[in-house]
Amino acid sequence: MATTGFWPVKGRLKEVIDYANNPDKTTAKEYLDEDLYAAIRYVENDDKTDHTAFVTGINCTPENANEVMLTLLEDTDSSDIQAYHGYQSFKPGKVTPDVAHAIGVQLANELWGEDFPVVIATHIDRGHVHNHFCLSATGFSGKRYHDCKATYKLMRDTSDRLC
C-alpha cells in the first residue's frame, strides 16, 4: 500500500511563471505550488528523479506539459485552479524506483489518461520512493477535473489495488 495526497495549484499564471523562471526561487518550498510551471518543474526535478529517468508524460511530454496545460486552460471558463499536484508515497524498502514509477504511470493512466495531460515523476531523493503527479485542471474534452472526496477515494482505492 501507499499513501496518497492531492491538492489544487492556483495563481496568477503570467506573473507567477515569470517569477518561477528565476532558478534561485523555484525550489523554495513556499513557492512550489504557486503556479503550474513551478509544479511541473518540481515533479520532474533532476536531483529527485535520477536525472529524469523516472519522468513520464501522459497526453503530453514532460517538456511540453506546461504549454499543453496552458492551452487547455485558454479554452475554458477556468477558475483560479490551473492544475492539481498529487503524490503516492511508499514505505522505505517496499518498492524499487522502477516498480514505483510503473505503478504511478498505471495509476495516472487509469484515473486520468483518457482526457487529461499529466506528468508523473518518481522521486528517489529521500528515504522512501514516492511519485508526484501534475494533472491539468482541464481535459482535452474541455471538461474540468472535479476534485472531491469521491475522486480522491477512487485515487486511493486504485492505488491500493495496483500496489
Side-chain angles (χ1 to χ4, degrees), residues 5 11-12 23 29 45 52 64-65 76 99 111 115 125 131 148 157:
R12 292 182 308 228
K29 185 165 177 43
N45 182 314
T52 65
N64 75 1
T76 64
V99 170
L111 295 178
D115 192 25
D125 63 327
N131 294 318
C148 63
D157 291 348

Side-chain angles (χ1 to χ4, degrees), residues 44-146:
E44 65 184 26
N45 182 314
D46 282 354
D47 295 333
K48 298 172 182 298
T49 61
D50 194 19
H51 302 285
T52 65
F54 301 110
V55 180
T56 300
I58 298 174
N59 298 318
C60 63
T61 65
E63 296 77 22
N64 75 1
N66 188 56
E67 180 181 331
V68 169
M69 292 181 191
L70 287 174
T71 300
L72 291 172
L73 285 171
E74 290 173 1
D75 297 333
T76 64
D77 296 327
S78 64
S79 70
D80 59 347
I81 298 173
Q82 300 163 345
Y84 290 89
H85 185 166
Y87 71 86
Q88 179 186 40
S89 181
F90 302 90
K91 288 183 180 179
K94 290 294 182 183
V95 296
T96 64
D98 290 319
V99 170
H101 191 69
I103 291 170
V105 169
Q106 184 64 32
L107 176 67
N109 266 314
E110 286 190 27
L111 295 178
W112 312 301
E114 289 188 23
D115 192 25
F116 292 88
V118 59
V119 174
I120 307 97
T122 303
H123 289 191
I124 58 175
D125 63 327
R126 304 273 173 126
H128 64 283
V129 177
H130 56 285
N131 294 318
H132 283 269
F133 306 93
C134 188
L135 171 72
S136 176
T138 303
F140 290 100
S141 65
K143 293 182 180 177
R144 302 279 293 171
Y145 181 75
H146 182 67

Side-chain angles (χ1 to χ4, degrees), residues 138-159:
T138 303
F140 290 100
S141 65
K143 293 182 180 177
R144 302 279 293 171
Y145 181 75
H146 182 67
D147 183 37
C148 63
K149 289 180 182 179
T151 55
Y152 181 63
K153 182 176 181 342
L154 178 62
M155 180 183 182
R156 281 195 339 259
D157 291 348
T158 304
S159 174

